[in-house]
Amino acid sequence: ELIDDILDAVLVWRSLPGSDIENEGAVRFVRAPGDRGTEVHVVLRYDPPAGQVGAAIARLLGEEPHGQIEDDLRRFKQVMETGEIATTQGQPRGHHPAVSLDKLMGGAP
């Protein structure tokens, strides 16, 4: 549930009672030095299922929340700066014909 929302400054939340994963956190928006945009700061606390063992398994599977937050912030930055998320999906690959080592070294084909 959202427990604090200050326009252009901060969002604070906590999970509802009985949630699968107890968590709470805040996102804070701060003017960057030199008026160079906005910094986004995230603080997260969560109780992983199965304690430290569950946290280790989540890390191994790439599902650890802190890593997910970094990825989400990177995508958010791309959308804010360019209006889209950069991707290589659907881009053609270049075709490189086989070239012999002799030919690369200036020898006979």
Side-chain angles (χ1 to χ4, degrees):
E1 72 179 319
L2 194 58
I3 58 174
D4 201 0
D5 181 358
I6 301 171
L7 183 64
D8 297 332
V10 68
L11 295 170
V12 182
W13 76 89
R14 67 176 167 228
S15 57
L16 294 171
S19 294
D20 290 339
I21 299 176
E22 297 288 324
N23 68 87
E24 61 187 11
V27 178
R28 196 166 41 99
F29 303 92
V30 179
R31 186 172 304 281
D35 201 27
R36 294 182 46 128
T38 303
E39 294 178 355
V40 179
H41 301 264
V42 178
V43 176
L44 172 70
R45 188 205 57 80
Y46 79 107
D47 296 325
Q52 294 301 320
V53 172
I57 292 170
R59 230 181 342 271
L60 288 172
L61 297 175
E63 297 296 324
E64 199 269 336
H66 293 97
Q68 290 179 339
I69 288 171
E70 287 179 9
D71 292 342
D72 291 342
L73 286 173
R74 191 172 301 109
R75 284 189 294 274
F76 178 69
K77 181 179 191 305
Q78 289 177 3
V79 169
M80 292 292 93
E81 291 179 349
T82 67
E84 62 186 15
I85 297 173
T87 178
T88 58
Q89 186 175 12
Q91 295 181 2
R93 293 184 303 169
H95 176 69
H96 300 286
V99 178
S100 71
L101 184 55
D102 287 338
K103 189 169 187 177
L104 286 174
M105 300 303 286

